Amino acid sequence: MAHAPQIKIAATYMRGGTSKGVFFKLDDLPESTRVAGPARDALLMRVIGSPDPYGKQIDGMGAATSSTSKTVIVGKSTRPDHDVDYLFGQVSIDQAFVDWSGNCGNLSAAVGPFAITNGLVDPARVPQNGIAVVRIWQANIQKTIIAHVPITDGAVQETGDFELDGVTFPAAELQLEFMNPAEEGDGGSMFPTGNLVDDLEVPGVGTFKATMINSGIPTIFLNADALGYSGAELQDDINGDAAALARFETIRAHGALRMGLIKNLEEAAARQHTPKVAFVAGPKAYTASSGKPIGAGDIDVLVRALSMGKLHHAMMGTASVAIATAAAVPGTLVNLAAGGGQRDQVCFGHPSGTLRVGAEAQLVDGEWTVTKAIMSRSARVLMEGRVHVPRVGF
């Protein structure tokens, strides 16, 4: 019996922030996968090694966590005043689907460097030395991201002394601006329920005070103590408790319904990437997963967030935008846990350490809006070449 050989596709394996994924230029993909649909999904799942009933992704580029089961497609932008269009696919580990419902804020940090290195940015916009400003259209959420990429001798600078908790080694600092990150227009709202705090009823689980916000990524914030937690938990404290994970997923599904993201609870199973669930508490001392001591005076608030059904080892970049925005709006659970009042930045503690983020929020005609959220990240190429993929389904 004859067997077709694998096909080879140009790709780059990159770390961005506390995530990593496989990056493709749109024009390098097989023609049938350059547009949305089953063929594209089949290709990306096979590249990553999903669906894998063993939950290990041994036969692909994934590493069996929500932070590493990721794909990115970048092409020259079709929109004015933008350099590139960026599409993010969160690949399910054990199920046969790719979630396109949101962005990855961490991998957003790698898009600018990838675009410059791969000739997708006009060379006239890249200085010999200094900062290249890359204007990114985030196609999943229809938003603009501005990346400030360091350049040395005409090439992207990847090494440096910027330390990011959750990443082992230092690298060059790269600033991201998420422009107008909140939901807007067509009846959308930064607070889709119209309230800063709601009572979220979850049958069989309980009723919780919740701030449901759509900024960066749809996120449901809860108080840690209402869930029986201190807010200083690490991954093993949550991920080793199957009953707790099931409760969080039930809360997430009911929150998604309340936010209008799904029409019925059954749809939540195929929408794992959004919304996120996070819980907050006032500052207290704890020891990060690396063994680093975090003092109560080092942070404004504690935040723990779940991604793809598990507690994240650090913090998703898009959830960091949601944290920054919610902290800037007086009266949200995040703002109250951080001490309340007006603030344009917040330093939060996560399982791997701390992160400082900022947001510019204002009340206009009775509605809260945010013009941008800012954070620093780093990114670097791990490997580049070609991925080999059996041609099945595309």
CSV table of all heavy atoms in Angstrom, one decimal, residues 96-157:
chain,number,residue,atom,x,y,z
A,96,ALA,N,-11.0,17.7,19.2
A,96,ALA,CA,-10.7,18.1,17.8
A,96,ALA,C,-11.3,19.5,17.4
A,96,ALA,O,-12.3,19.5,16.6
A,96,ALA,CB,-11.2,17.0,16.8
A,97,PHE,N,-10.7,20.5,17.9
A,97,PHE,CA,-11.1,21.8,17.5
A,97,PHE,C,-10.1,22.9,17.8
A,97,PHE,O,-9.2,22.7,18.7
A,97,PHE,CB,-12.5,22.3,18.1
A,97,PHE,CG,-12.4,22.6,19.5
A,97,PHE,CD1,-12.2,23.9,20.0
A,97,PHE,CD2,-12.7,21.6,20.5
A,97,PHE,CE1,-12.2,24.2,21.3
A,97,PHE,CE2,-12.7,21.9,21.8
A,97,PHE,CZ,-12.4,23.2,22.3
A,98,VAL,N,-10.1,24.0,17.0
A,98,VAL,CA,-9.3,25.1,17.2
A,98,VAL,C,-10.2,26.3,17.6
A,98,VAL,O,-11.1,26.6,16.9
A,98,VAL,CB,-8.5,25.5,16.0
A,98,VAL,CG1,-7.6,26.7,16.2
A,98,VAL,CG2,-7.6,24.3,15.5
A,99,ASP,N,-9.9,26.9,18.7
A,99,ASP,CA,-10.7,28.0,19.2
A,99,ASP,C,-10.1,29.3,18.7
A,99,ASP,O,-9.0,29.7,18.9
A,99,ASP,CB,-10.7,28.1,20.8
A,99,ASP,CG,-11.8,29.0,21.3
A,99,ASP,OD1,-12.1,29.9,20.7
A,99,ASP,OD2,-12.2,28.7,22.5
A,100,TRP,N,-11.0,30.0,17.9
A,100,TRP,CA,-10.6,31.3,17.3
A,100,TRP,C,-11.2,32.5,17.9
A,100,TRP,O,-11.2,33.6,17.4
A,100,TRP,CB,-11.0,31.3,15.8
A,100,TRP,CG,-10.3,30.2,15.0
A,100,TRP,CD1,-10.9,29.0,14.6
A,100,TRP,CD2,-9.0,30.2,14.4
A,100,TRP,NE1,-10.0,28.3,13.9
A,100,TRP,CE2,-8.8,29.0,13.7
A,100,TRP,CE3,-7.9,31.1,14.4
A,100,TRP,CZ2,-7.7,28.6,13.1
A,100,TRP,CZ3,-6.8,30.8,13.8
A,100,TRP,CH2,-6.6,29.5,13.1
A,101,SER,N,-11.8,32.3,19.1
A,101,SER,CA,-12.7,33.3,19.7
A,101,SER,C,-11.9,34.5,20.4
A,101,SER,O,-12.6,35.5,20.7
A,101,SER,CB,-13.7,32.7,20.7
A,101,SER,OG,-13.0,32.1,21.8
A,102,GLY,N,-10.6,34.3,20.6
A,102,GLY,CA,-9.9,35.4,21.3
A,102,GLY,C,-8.5,35.5,20.8
A,102,GLY,O,-8.0,34.8,20.0
A,103,ASN,N,-7.8,36.5,21.5
A,103,ASN,CA,-6.4,36.7,21.2
A,103,ASN,C,-5.5,36.0,22.2
A,103,ASN,O,-6.0,35.7,23.3
A,103,ASN,CB,-6.1,38.2,21.2
A,103,ASN,CG,-4.7,38.6,20.9
A,103,ASN,OD1,-4.0,37.9,20.2
A,103,ASN,ND2,-4.2,39.6,21.5
A,104,CYS,N,-4.2,35.9,21.9
A,104,CYS,CA,-3.2,35.5,22.9
A,104,CYS,C,-2.3,36.8,23.1
A,104,CYS,O,-1.5,37.1,22.3
A,104,CYS,CB,-2.4,34.4,22.5
A,104,CYS,SG,-1.0,34.0,23.7
A,105,GLY,N,-2.5,37.4,24.3
A,105,GLY,CA,-1.7,38.6,24.6
A,105,GLY,C,-0.2,38.3,24.7
A,105,GLY,O,0.6,39.2,24.3
A,106,ASN,N,0.2,37.2,25.2
A,106,ASN,CA,1.6,36.8,25.3
A,106,ASN,C,2.2,36.7,23.9
A,106,ASN,O,3.3,37.3,23.6
A,106,ASN,CB,1.8,35.6,26.1
A,106,ASN,CG,1.8,35.9,27.6
A,106,ASN,OD1,2.6,36.6,28.1
A,106,ASN,ND2,0.8,35.3,28.3
A,107,LEU,N,1.6,35.9,23.1
A,107,LEU,CA,2.2,35.7,21.7
A,107,LEU,C,2.1,37.0,20.9
A,107,LEU,O,2.8,37.1,19.9
A,107,LEU,CB,1.5,34.5,21.0
A,107,LEU,CG,1.8,33.1,21.5
A,107,LEU,CD1,1.3,32.1,20.5
A,107,LEU,CD2,3.3,32.9,21.7
A,108,SER,N,1.3,37.9,21.3
A,108,SER,CA,1.2,39.2,20.6
A,108,SER,C,2.6,39.8,20.6
A,108,SER,O,3.0,40.6,19.7
A,108,SER,CB,0.2,40.1,21.3
A,108,SER,OG,-1.1,39.6,21.2
A,109,ALA,N,3.4,39.5,21.7
A,109,ALA,CA,4.7,40.1,21.8
A,109,ALA,C,5.7,39.6,20.7
A,109,ALA,O,6.6,40.3,20.4
A,109,ALA,CB,5.3,39.8,23.2
A,110,ALA,N,5.4,38.4,20.2
A,110,ALA,CA,6.3,37.8,19.2
A,110,ALA,C,5.9,38.2,17.7
A,110,ALA,O,6.7,38.0,16.8
A,110,ALA,CB,6.3,36.3,19.3
A,111,VAL,N,4.7,38.8,17.6
A,111,VAL,CA,4.2,39.1,16.2
A,111,VAL,C,5.1,40.2,15.5
A,111,VAL,O,5.4,40.0,14.4
A,111,VAL,CB,2.7,39.5,16.3
A,111,VAL,CG1,2.3,40.0,14.9
A,111,VAL,CG2,1.9,38.4,16.8
A,112,GLY,N,5.4,41.2,16.2
A,112,GLY,CA,6.2,42.3,15.6
A,112,GLY,C,7.6,41.8,15.2
A,112,GLY,O,8.0,42.0,14.1
A,113,PRO,N,8.3,41.1,16.1
A,113,PRO,CA,9.6,40.5,15.7
A,113,PRO,C,9.5,39.6,14.6
A,113,PRO,O,10.3,39.6,13.6
A,113,PRO,CB,10.1,39.8,17.0
A,113,PRO,CG,9.4,40.6,18.1
A,113,PRO,CD,8.1,41.0,17.6
A,114,PHE,N,8.5,38.7,14.6
A,114,PHE,CA,8.3,37.8,13.5
A,114,PHE,C,8.1,38.5,12.2
A,114,PHE,O,8.6,38.2,11.1
A,114,PHE,CB,7.1,36.8,13.8
A,114,PHE,CG,6.8,35.9,12.7
A,114,PHE,CD1,7.5,34.7,12.5
A,114,PHE,CD2,5.8,36.2,11.8
A,114,PHE,CE1,7.2,33.8,11.5
A,114,PHE,CE2,5.4,35.3,10.7
A,114,PHE,CZ,6.1,34.1,10.6
A,115,ALA,N,7.2,39.5,12.2
A,115,ALA,CA,6.9,40.3,11.0
A,115,ALA,C,8.1,41.0,10.4
A,115,ALA,O,8.3,41.0,9.2
A,115,ALA,CB,5.8,41.3,11.3
A,116,ILE,N,8.9,41.6,11.3
A,116,ILE,CA,10.1,42.3,10.8
A,116,ILE,C,11.1,41.3,10.2
A,116,ILE,O,11.6,41.5,9.1
A,116,ILE,CB,10.8,43.0,11.9
A,116,ILE,CG1,9.9,44.2,12.4
A,116,ILE,CG2,12.2,43.6,11.5
A,116,ILE,CD1,10.4,44.9,13.6
A,117,THR,N,11.4,40.2,10.9
A,117,THR,CA,12.3,39.2,10.4
A,117,THR,C,11.9,38.5,9.1
A,117,THR,O,12.8,38.2,8.3
A,117,THR,CB,12.5,38.1,11.5
A,117,THR,OG1,13.0,38.8,12.7
A,117,THR,CG2,13.6,37.1,11.1
A,118,ASN,N,10.6,38.4,8.9
A,118,ASN,CA,10.1,37.7,7.7
A,118,ASN,C,9.7,38.7,6.6
A,118,ASN,O,9.0,38.3,5.7
A,118,ASN,CB,9.0,36.8,8.1
A,118,ASN,CG,9.4,35.6,8.8
A,118,ASN,OD1,9.8,34.6,8.2
A,118,ASN,ND2,9.5,35.6,10.1
A,119,GLY,N,10.2,39.9,6.7
A,119,GLY,CA,10.0,40.9,5.6
A,119,GLY,C,8.5,41.4,5.4
A,119,GLY,O,8.2,41.8,4.3
A,120,LEU,N,7.7,41.3,6.4
A,120,LEU,CA,6.3,41.7,6.3
A,120,LEU,C,6.1,43.2,6.7
A,120,LEU,O,5.0,43.7,6.6
A,120,LEU,CB,5.4,40.8,7.2
A,120,LEU,CG,5.4,39.3,6.8
A,120,LEU,CD1,4.6,38.5,7.9
A,120,LEU,CD2,4.8,39.2,5.4
A,121,VAL,N,7.2,43.8,7.2
A,121,VAL,CA,7.1,45.2,7.5
A,121,VAL,C,8.0,46.0,6.5
A,121,VAL,O,9.2,45.6,6.2
A,121,VAL,CB,7.6,45.5,9.0
A,121,VAL,CG1,7.6,47.0,9.3
A,121,VAL,CG2,6.7,44.7,9.9
A,122,ASP,N,7.5,47.1,6.0
A,122,ASP,CA,8.3,48.0,5.1
A,122,ASP,C,9.7,48.3,5.7
A,122,ASP,O,9.8,48.8,6.8
A,122,ASP,CB,7.5,49.3,4.9
A,122,ASP,CG,8.2,50.2,3.9
A,122,ASP,OD1,9.4,49.9,3.5
A,122,ASP,OD2,7.6,51.2,3.5
A,123,PRO,N,10.8,47.9,5.1
A,123,PRO,CA,12.1,48.2,5.6
A,123,PRO,C,12.3,49.6,6.0
A,123,PRO,O,13.1,49.9,6.9
A,123,PRO,CB,13.1,47.7,4.5
A,123,PRO,CG,12.3,46.7,3.7
A,123,PRO,CD,10.8,47.2,3.8
A,124,ALA,N,11.6,50.5,5.3
A,124,ALA,CA,11.8,51.9,5.6
A,124,ALA,C,11.3,52.3,7.0
A,124,ALA,O,11.6,53.3,7.6
A,124,ALA,CB,11.1,52.8,4.6
A,125,ARG,N,10.5,51.4,7.6
A,125,ARG,CA,9.9,51.6,8.9
A,125,ARG,C,10.8,51.0,10.0
A,125,ARG,O,10.4,51.1,11.2
A,125,ARG,CB,8.5,51.0,9.0
A,125,ARG,CG,7.5,51.8,8.1
A,125,ARG,CD,6.1,51.2,8.3
A,125,ARG,NE,5.7,51.0,9.6
A,125,ARG,CZ,5.3,51.9,10.5
A,125,ARG,NH1,5.3,53.2,10.1
A,125,ARG,NH2,5.0,51.6,11.7
A,126,VAL,N,11.8,50.3,9.6
A,126,VAL,CA,12.7,49.6,10.6
A,126,VAL,C,14.1,50.4,10.7
A,126,VAL,O,14.8,50.4,9.7
A,126,VAL,CB,13.0,48.2,10.2
A,126,VAL,CG1,13.8,47.5,11.2
A,126,VAL,CG2,11.6,47.4,10.0
A,127,PRO,N,14.4,51.0,11.8
A,127,PRO,CA,15.6,51.8,11.9
A,127,PRO,C,16.8,50.8,12.0
A,127,PRO,O,16.7,49.6,12.3
A,127,PRO,CB,15.4,52.5,13.2
A,127,PRO,CG,14.5,51.7,14.1
A,127,PRO,CD,13.6,51.0,13.1
A,128,GLN,N,18.0,51.4,11.7
A,128,GLN,CA,19.2,50.6,11.9
A,128,GLN,C,19.4,50.2,13.3
A,128,GLN,O,19.8,49.1,13.7
A,128,GLN,CB,20.4,51.3,11.3
A,128,GLN,CG,21.7,50.6,11.3
A,128,GLN,CD,21.7,49.3,10.4
A,128,GLN,OE1,20.8,49.2,9.6
A,128,GLN,NE2,22.7,48.5,10.6
A,129,ASN,N,19.2,51.2,14.2
A,129,ASN,CA,19.3,51.0,15.6
A,129,ASN,C,18.1,51.9,16.3
A,129,ASN,O,17.9,53.0,15.9
A,129,ASN,CB,20.6,51.5,16.2
A,129,ASN,CG,21.7,50.6,15.7
A,129,ASN,OD1,21.9,49.5,16.3
A,129,ASN,ND2,22.5,51.0,14.8
A,130,GLY,N,17.5,51.3,17.3
A,130,GLY,CA,16.4,52.0,17.9
A,130,GLY,C,15.2,51.2,18.1
A,130,GLY,O,15.3,49.9,18.4
A,131,ILE,N,14.0,51.8,18.0
A,131,ILE,CA,12.8,51.0,18.2
A,131,ILE,C,11.9,51.1,16.9
A,131,ILE,O,11.7,52.2,16.3
A,131,ILE,CB,11.9,51.7,19.3
A,131,ILE,CG1,12.7,51.7,20.6
A,131,ILE,CG2,10.6,51.0,19.5
A,131,ILE,CD1,13.0,50.3,21.2
A,132,ALA,N,11.5,49.9,16.4
A,132,ALA,CA,10.6,49.8,15.3
A,132,ALA,C,9.2,49.7,15.8
A,132,ALA,O,8.9,48.9,16.7
A,132,ALA,CB,10.9,48.6,14.4
A,133,VAL,N,8.3,50.5,15.3
A,133,VAL,CA,6.9,50.5,15.7
A,133,VAL,C,6.1,49.7,14.7
A,133,VAL,O,6.0,50.1,13.6
A,133,VAL,CB,6.4,52.0,15.9
A,133,VAL,CG1,4.9,51.9,16.3
A,133,VAL,CG2,7.1,52.7,16.9
A,134,VAL,N,5.6,48.6,15.2
A,134,VAL,CA,4.9,47.7,14.3
A,134,VAL,C,3.4,47.8,14.6
A,134,VAL,O,3.0,47.6,15.7
A,134,VAL,CB,5.3,46.2,14.4
A,134,VAL,CG1,4.6,45.3,13.4
A,134,VAL,CG2,6.8,46.1,14.1
A,135,ARG,N,2.6,48.1,13.6
A,135,ARG,CA,1.1,48.3,13.7
A,135,ARG,C,0.4,47.0,13.3
A,135,ARG,O,0.4,46.6,12.2
A,135,ARG,CB,0.7,49.5,12.9
A,135,ARG,CG,1.4,50.8,13.2
A,135,ARG,CD,1.3,51.8,12.1
A,135,ARG,NE,1.8,51.3,10.8
A,135,ARG,CZ,1.9,52.0,9.7
A,135,ARG,NH1,1.6,53.3,9.7
A,135,ARG,NH2,2.3,51.5,8.5
A,136,ILE,N,-0.1,46.3,14.3
A,136,ILE,CA,-0.7,45.0,14.2
A,136,ILE,C,-2.2,45.0,14.2
A,136,ILE,O,-2.8,45.6,15.2
A,136,ILE,CB,-0.2,44.1,15.3
A,136,ILE,CG1,1.4,44.0,15.2
A,136,ILE,CG2,-0.8,42.7,15.2
A,136,ILE,CD1,2.0,43.4,16.5
A,137,TRP,N,-2.9,44.4,13.3
A,137,TRP,CA,-4.3,44.2,13.3
A,137,TRP,C,-4.6,42.8,13.9
A,137,TRP,O,-4.2,41.8,13.2
A,137,TRP,CB,-5.0,44.4,11.9
A,137,TRP,CG,-6.4,44.2,11.9
A,137,TRP,CD1,-7.1,43.2,11.4
A,137,TRP,CD2,-7.4,45.1,12.5
A,137,TRP,NE1,-8.5,43.3,11.6
A,137,TRP,CE2,-8.7,44.5,12.3
A,137,TRP,CE3,-7.3,46.3,13.2
A,137,TRP,CZ2,-9.9,45.1,12.7
A,137,TRP,CZ3,-8.5,46.9,13.7
A,137,TRP,CH2,-9.8,46.3,13.4
A,138,GLN,N,-5.2,42.8,15.0
A,138,GLN,CA,-5.5,41.5,15.6
A,138,GLN,C,-6.9,41.0,15.1
A,138,GLN,O,-7.9,41.5,15.4
A,138,GLN,CB,-5.6,41.6,17.2
A,138,GLN,CG,-5.1,40.4,17.9
A,138,GLN,CD,-5.9,39.1,17.6
A,138,GLN,OE1,-7.1,39.1,17.5
A,138,GLN,NE2,-5.2,38.0,17.4
A,139,ALA,N,-6.8,40.0,14.2
A,139,ALA,CA,-8.0,39.7,13.4
A,139,ALA,C,-9.1,39.0,14.2
A,139,ALA,O,-10.2,39.1,13.9
A,139,ALA,CB,-7.6,38.8,12.2
A,140,ASN,N,-8.7,38.2,15.2
A,140,ASN,CA,-9.7,37.5,16.0
A,140,ASN,C,-10.7,38.5,16.7
A,140,ASN,O,-11.9,38.2,16.7
A,140,ASN,CB,-9.0,36.7,17.1
A,140,ASN,CG,-8.1,35.6,16.6
A,140,ASN,OD1,-7.0,36.0,16.2
A,140,ASN,ND2,-8.4,34.4,16.7
A,141,ILE,N,-10.1,39.6,17.3
A,141,ILE,CA,-11.0,40.5,18.0
A,141,ILE,C,-11.1,41.8,17.4
A,141,ILE,O,-11.7,42.7,18.0
A,141,ILE,CB,-10.4,40.6,19.5
A,141,ILE,CG1,-9.0,41.2,19.4
A,141,ILE,CG2,-10.5,39.3,20.2
A,141,ILE,CD1,-8.4,41.5,20.8
A,142,GLN,N,-10.5,42.0,16.2
A,142,GLN,CA,-10.7,43.2,15.4
A,142,GLN,C,-10.2,44.4,16.2
A,142,GLN,O,-10.9,45.4,16.3
A,142,GLN,CB,-12.2,43.4,15.0
A,142,GLN,CG,-12.8,42.2,14.2
A,142,GLN,CD,-12.3,42.2,12.8
A,142,GLN,OE1,-12.7,43.0,12.0
A,142,GLN,NE2,-11.4,41.3,12.5
A,143,LYS,N,-9.0,44.3,16.7
A,143,LYS,CA,-8.4,45.4,17.5
A,143,LYS,C,-7.0,45.7,17.0
A,143,LYS,O,-6.3,44.8,16.4
A,143,LYS,CB,-8.4,45.0,19.0
A,143,LYS,CG,-9.7,44.9,19.6
A,143,LYS,CD,-10.5,46.2,19.7
A,143,LYS,CE,-11.8,46.0,20.5
A,143,LYS,NZ,-12.5,47.3,20.6
A,144,THR,N,-6.5,46.8,17.4
A,144,THR,CA,-5.1,47.2,17.0
A,144,THR,C,-4.2,47.0,18.2
A,144,THR,O,-4.5,47.4,19.3
A,144,THR,CB,-5.1,48.7,16.6
A,144,THR,OG1,-5.9,48.9,15.4
A,144,THR,CG2,-3.6,49.2,16.3
A,145,ILE,N,-3.0,46.5,17.9
A,145,ILE,CA,-1.9,46.4,18.9
A,145,ILE,C,-0.7,47.1,18.3
A,145,ILE,O,-0.4,46.9,17.1
A,145,ILE,CB,-1.6,44.9,19.2
A,145,ILE,CG1,-2.8,44.1,19.7
A,145,ILE,CG2,-0.4,44.8,20.2
A,145,ILE,CD1,-2.6,42.6,19.8
A,146,ILE,N,-0.1,47.9,19.1
A,146,ILE,CA,1.2,48.6,18.7
A,146,ILE,C,2.3,47.9,19.4
A,146,ILE,O,2.4,47.9,20.7
A,146,ILE,CB,1.1,50.1,19.0
A,146,ILE,CG1,-0.1,50.7,18.4
A,146,ILE,CG2,2.4,50.7,18.5
A,146,ILE,CD1,-0.2,50.7,16.9
A,147,ALA,N,3.3,47.4,18.7
A,147,ALA,CA,4.5,46.7,19.3
A,147,ALA,C,5.7,47.6,19.1
A,147,ALA,O,5.9,48.1,18.0
A,147,ALA,CB,4.7,45.4,18.7
A,148,HIS,N,6.4,47.8,20.1
A,148,HIS,CA,7.6,48.6,20.1
A,148,HIS,C,8.8,47.7,20.2
A,148,HIS,O,9.1,47.2,21.3
A,148,HIS,CB,7.6,49.7,21.2
A,148,HIS,CG,6.5,50.6,21.2
A,148,HIS,ND1,6.6,51.9,20.6
A,148,HIS,CD2,5.2,50.5,21.6
A,148,HIS,CE1,5.5,52.5,20.7
A,148,HIS,NE2,4.6,51.7,21.3
A,149,VAL,N,9.4,47.4,19.0
A,149,VAL,CA,10.4,46.3,18.9
A,149,VAL,C,11.8,46.9,18.9
A,149,VAL,O,12.1,47.7,18.0
A,149,VAL,CB,10.1,45.5,17.6
A,149,VAL,CG1,11.1,44.3,17.6
A,149,VAL,CG2,8.7,45.0,17.6
A,150,PRO,N,12.7,46.4,19.8
A,150,PRO,CA,14.1,46.9,19.8
A,150,PRO,C,14.8,46.4,18.6
A,150,PRO,O,14.8,45.2,18.3
A,150,PRO,CB,14.6,46.4,21.1
A,150,PRO,CG,13.8,45.3,21.5
A,150,PRO,CD,12.4,45.5,20.9
A,151,ILE,N,15.6,47.3,18.0
A,151,ILE,CA,16.4,46.9,16.8
A,151,ILE,C,17.9,47.3,17.0
A,151,ILE,O,18.2,48.4,17.5
A,151,ILE,CB,15.9,47.6,15.5
A,151,ILE,CG1,14.4,47.4,15.3
A,151,ILE,CG2,16.7,47.2,14.3
A,151,ILE,CD1,14.1,46.0,14.9
A,152,THR,N,18.7,46.3,16.7
A,152,THR,CA,20.2,46.6,16.8
A,152,THR,C,20.8,46.1,15.5
A,152,THR,O,20.6,45.0,15.1
A,152,THR,CB,20.8,45.8,18.0
A,152,THR,OG1,20.2,46.2,19.2
A,152,THR,CG2,22.3,46.0,18.1
A,153,ASP,N,21.6,47.0,14.9
A,153,ASP,CA,22.3,46.7,13.6
A,153,ASP,C,21.3,46.2,12.6
A,153,ASP,O,21.6,45.2,11.8
A,153,ASP,CB,23.4,45.7,13.8
A,153,ASP,CG,24.5,46.3,14.7
A,153,ASP,OD1,24.7,47.5,14.7
A,153,ASP,OD2,25.2,45.5,15.4
A,154,GLY,N,20.1,46.7,12.5
A,154,GLY,CA,19.1,46.4,11.5
A,154,GLY,C,18.3,45.1,11.8
A,154,GLY,O,17.5,44.8,10.9
A,155,ALA,N,18.6,44.5,12.9
A,155,ALA,CA,17.9,43.2,13.2
A,155,ALA,C,17.2,43.3,14.5
A,155,ALA,O,17.6,44.1,15.4
A,155,ALA,CB,18.9,42.0,13.2
A,156,VAL,N,16.2,42.5,14.7
A,156,VAL,CA,15.4,42.4,15.9
A,156,VAL,C,16.4,42.0,17.1
A,156,VAL,O,17.1,41.0,17.0
A,156,VAL,CB,14.3,41.4,15.9
A,156,VAL,CG1,13.6,41.3,17.2
A,156,VAL,CG2,13.2,41.9,14.9
A,157,GLN,N,16.4,42.8,18.1
A,157,GLN,CA,17.2,42.5,19.3
A,157,GLN,C,16.4,41.6,20.2
A,157,GLN,O,15.3,41.9,20.7
A,157,GLN,CB,17.6,43.7,20.0
A,157,GLN,CG,18.5,43.5,21.3
A,157,GLN,CD,18.7,44.7,22.1
A,157,GLN,OE1,18.8,45.8,21.5
A,157,GLN,NE2,18.9,44.6,23.4
